[in-house]
Amino acid sequence: MPASFFASRFPFQFFIYSRLRREELCLKSRQDQLFNIICHMKDKLKDAQTDLLFTAILSLESIEECYAFFADISTIAELKSLAQRFQVAIMLRQGRTYADICETTGVSTATISRVNRSLEYGSDGYQLVLDRLEETGHLAKPVKEERKDI
C-alpha cells in the first residue's frame, strides 16, 4: 500500500515514523561522512616517506634510543606536545573530567576535545597502544566505579 494510505489514516503515527526515518538516515549519513574523512586522512598520510619514518621508529630498541632519535628529528615543544596529548588520552580513558585534565596537564579544552574525538572516532591507534601498555603492566587498567543505588 502506498505511503499516502497510511498518512491519511494514521497521520500522527506516520509523522513520527517519517521523522524517525529521516533522523536515522541523517545519522547514517554523518557516520559515513566521518568514516570517509578518517579513510581520506589515512590516504593523505600514507606514503613511502612516512612508512620509512615509522620503520625507523620501530627499529629503536630502548627508551634512550628513542630520546636520541626524537631529540634529533623534532623540537622539544613538538615532543612535549605529543607526550601531553598521550597523557590526555590516558586521563580520558580513566574517565577524568575536562576540568581535571586541564588543571593537571595545562592543555586547552580544544586539545582535550581533539584527543577525545580521536579516542571515540579515530583509527583506534590510542586504544591499541593503551591496551598494550595495560597488558604489559606499564599502565594501570582504568578502575570503573560501581554505582551504589540507595
Side-chain angles (χ1 to χ4, degrees), residues 120-139:
E120 296 292 323
Y121 307 108
S123 303
D124 290 333
Y126 278 124
Q127 300 294 353
L128 176 73
V129 170
L130 294 173
D131 287 345
R132 287 188 181 160
L133 288 174
E134 288 171 4
E135 288 169 9
T136 59
H138 289 93
L139 189 63

Side-chain angles (χ1 to χ4, degrees):
M1 291 187 195
S4 59
F5 172 80
F6 292 105
S8 63
R9 287 176 177 64
F10 308 101
F12 181 73
Q13 290 86 345
F14 184 77
F15 169 77
I16 296 296
Y17 169 79
S18 61
R19 179 81 186 250
L20 289 172
R21 182 72 181 134
R22 260 195 320 269
E23 288 178 12
E24 179 183 316
L25 292 173
C26 287
L27 179 61
K28 176 75 172 127
S29 174
R30 278 185 248 138
Q31 288 171 335
D32 289 343
Q33 288 173 348
L34 187 58
F35 179 77
N36 289 336
I37 289 168
I38 291 169
C39 288
H40 184 66
M41 284 175 56
K42 283 183 183 177
D43 291 343
K44 287 177 73 173
L45 178 67
K46 189 163 179 53
D47 62 17
Q49 226 176 356
T50 308
D51 285 351
L52 186 59
L53 172 64
F54 291 157
T55 302
I57 292 168
L58 289 171
S59 75
L60 300 170
E61 296 180 0
S62 68
I63 290 178
E64 289 78 22
E65 287 182 3
C66 286
Y67 274 107
F69 179 71
F70 282 96
D72 288 344
I73 201 167
S74 65
T75 65
I76 293 171
E78 289 168 336
L79 190 53
K80 290 288 187 188
S81 178
L82 291 173
Q84 218 172 27
R85 287 182 190 179
F86 190 64
Q87 185 62 38
V88 168
I90 292 167
M91 295 174 81
L92 284 169
R93 186 157 154 153
Q94 292 170 340
R96 307 270 289 274
T97 64
Y98 276 39
D100 186 30
I101 295 169
C102 277
E103 186 178 315
T104 305
T105 64
V107 300
S108 68
T109 55
T111 298
I112 298 169
S113 180
R114 196 173 310 119
V115 172
N116 192 46
R117 195 169 38 251
S118 292
L119 278 168
E120 296 292 323
Y121 307 108
S123 303
D124 290 333
Y126 278 124
Q127 300 294 353
L128 176 73
V129 170
L130 294 173
D131 287 345
R132 287 188 181 160
L133 288 174
E134 288 171 4
E135 288 169 9
T136 59
H138 289 93
L139 189 63
K141 292 186 182 188
V143 178
K144 294 185 180 176
E145 295 180 15
E146 294 182 23
R147 278 186 65 200
K148 295 179 181 177
D149 294 331
I150 300 176

